[in-house]
Amino acid sequence: MTDIPPLEREIRKRIQAAGPMPISEYMALCLGDPAYGYYVTRNPLGASGDFTTAPEVSQMFGELIGLWMAAVWTQMGSPANIRLIELGPGRGTLMKDAVRAMQVMPAFREAAVIHLVEISPVLRAQQELTLGGIGMPVYWHNTLAEVPQGALIVVANEFFDALPVNQAVKIESGWHERRIGIDADGKLTYTVAPEPMPHADIVLPPAARNAPLGAIFEWRDERAAMELGRRLADERGTALVIDYGHAESDVGETLQAVGRHAYADVLSTPGTVDLTAHVDFQALKRAVEAMGVTGFGPIDQSELLRGLGIETRAAKLKARATPTEAADIDLALLRLTGFGRSDMGSLFKAVAFTHPTIGTPPVFG
Ligand code: SAH
């Protein structure tokens, strides 16, 4: 066993001791194991990393979200103290660009304190560098629950897709939870739980009822969504969640591994590639709303960014750009709002949540 990487050895040990492992436990270990997890050991973002996100595509993304936050703050009655919370801030780029755009509303900047919820020590160090010169207080936390109380505005871009999912597979005897075991050659392999899931027809969405044999249904632990809802309801807040996923709960396998900008195998190199799964926005909304807040959307990322004026912003940036820079701005605009296969315009969606006294957030009306 000496040639087996340490995280895989740990996973095999757990399976040998306790039996096949739920997909969510595997995903949580691969991403967040304190010693060998993907997010704990590397900086996954950017051209030299494994994937590129919207704030890394263009400064316009964070700037427009900064303007959205400023409008929301006004809508909330301009509270004298406001916590700007970002879940999973990556390199800190979105927040840096947002803060620059907020200069149009100095009173908002004065009122705001930044709180970043981040598990990765590597990315925390990067965020510290990125946000070092912004002239606003910044604090780091491991979970949203650790952020001190107070009125809040939350943003999360590509955060929920990184939270662990479970899977169930439909076989002749019903829906069974899918798990990860060890095959005859000693490799990690998918297995199914021996017993069908209890109450599957109640737990699964109507779309799953007529699914063919072999169909897979994915669901997330809802604690993070419920914690978000609780904070917004208890302390009066607004949140914007952007991610890729589907508007309605449905069957389909979306768990994927990505390394070096290419798809990889989920089971073969645990901890060295990014694992994500689409966000089920219907389930996310239900979990957040259950805590007493109002949900809006999902709307396409294209609609969100156009509604916030991305075209005007792009034209303004182009007016003082070189021809090469102007071409880059056009490319970024297309990538963020277009509908092609590699564009983010409709694959990515946005939902917003508010305390019931706040009203409809900008662009969601
Ligand atoms: N929002 C950034 C980064 C997206 S990648 C961007 O758009 O560029 C996902 C981010 O969430 C990373 O910063 C990762 O370290 C963080 N993350 C993943 N799981 C987390 C968890 N359980 N708790 C806190 N942060 C987490």
Side-chain angles (χ1 to χ4, degrees):
M1 294 248 308
T2 46
D3 56 336
I4 299 170
L7 184 58
E8 185 169 347
R9 208 179 308 148
E10 169 69 21
I11 289 168
R12 289 187 193 207
K13 228 163 62 190
R14 290 195 191 200
I15 294 171
Q16 274 151 0
M21 172 182 282
I23 307 287
S24 57
E25 185 181 340
Y26 177 76
M27 194 168 165
L29 283 168
C30 287
L31 296 181
D33 179 80
Y36 305 112
Y38 175 78
Y39 279 118
V40 179
T41 55
R42 64 196 73 211
N43 181 344
L45 287 144
S48 62
D50 290 323
F51 57 91
T52 303
T53 57
E56 303 298 331
V57 169
S58 167
Q59 67 185 76
M60 295 186 286
F61 188 81
E63 288 169 349
L64 294 170
I65 289 177
L67 297 181
W68 185 88
M69 292 196 278
V72 162
W73 177 69
T74 312
Q75 203 177 12
M76 289 170 71
S78 310
N81 294 296
I82 184 82
R83 302 191 187 283
L84 301 187
I85 303 173
E86 185 173 359
L87 309 179
R91 294 159 59 99
T93 310
L94 187 161
M95 194 55 92
K96 182 191 74 186
D97 294 333
V99 162
R100 193 176 52 249
M102 282 170 207
Q103 279 164 359
V104 299
M105 208 185 269
F108 175 42
R109 264 190 69 132
E110 277 295 296
V113 173
I114 295 171
H115 295 269
L116 304 177
V117 175
E118 176 59 68
I119 46 161
S120 163
V122 180
L123 289 175
R124 278 189 187 201
Q126 176 71 52
Q127 292 152 17
E128 221 170 321
L129 282 176
T130 307
L131 296 170
I134 61 166
M136 285 171 71
V138 184
Y139 299 97
W140 279 266
H141 312 273
N142 288 314
T143 62
L144 177 58
E146 285 177 17
V147 178
Q149 291 186 345
L152 63 158
I153 300 174
V154 182
V155 295
N157 185 60
E158 289 207 45
F159 172 75
F160 282 93
D161 66 77
L163 300 186
V165 285
N166 298 288
Q167 292 183 334
V169 57
K170 188 172 175 180
I171 58 177
E172 261 154 38
S173 45
W175 286 94
H176 291 240
E177 192 186 344
R178 205 178 189 202
R179 294 187 180 153
I180 293 168
I182 300 173
D183 70 12
D185 298 331
K187 293 215 172 65
L188 297 179
T189 186
Y190 290 113
T191 65
V192 294
E195 298 299 323
M197 284 169 60
H199 313 299
D201 46 336
I202 301 169
V203 178
L204 271 56
R209 262 168 227 157
N210 301 318
L213 292 181
I216 287 180
F217 177 72
E218 296 173 336
W219 74 97
R220 273 195 170 80
D221 182 301
E222 290 183 339
R223 271 173 297 184
M226 291 169 91
E227 174 63 23
L228 173 63
R230 193 183 68 79
R231 293 297 291 251
L232 299 175
D234 288 359
E235 287 149 48
R236 205 158 179 272
T238 304
L240 177 64
V241 174
I242 304 167
D243 223 310
Y244 53 101
H246 36 279
E248 284 173 20
S249 303
D250 205 346
V251 294
E253 179 171 26
T254 71
L255 176 63
Q256 65 177 33
V258 168
R260 305 263 154 214
H261 298 267
Y263 291 109
D265 185 69
V266 170
L267 298 184
S268 64
T269 50
T272 67
V273 291
D274 189 32
L275 294 183
T276 61
H278 281 204
V279 170
D280 176 344
F281 282 101
Q282 187 177 0
L284 175 70
K285 268 183 90 177
R286 195 177 47 228
V288 179
E289 287 175 330
M291 307 311 283
V293 299
T294 315
F296 302 88
I299 60 173
D300 286 349
Q301 174 165 305
S302 154
E303 193 183 339
L304 175 75
L305 297 179
R306 282 174 204 281
L308 291 170
I310 194 167
E311 267 138 358
T312 314
R313 182 70 191 132
K316 216 170 187 172
L317 288 172
K318 275 164 68 177
R320 46 166 205 255
T322 65
T324 320
E325 287 166 352
D328 283 348
I329 293 165
D330 280 334
L331 273 180
L333 181 62
L334 182 66
R335 180 97 191 271
L336 292 176
T337 62
F339 300 117
R341 278 178 64 87
S342 56
D343 299 330
M344 298 173 159
S346 63
L347 176 62
F348 281 74
K349 296 181 173 56
V351 286
F353 299 100
T354 62
H355 187 276
T357 59
I358 294 173
T360 307
V363 192
F364 285 85

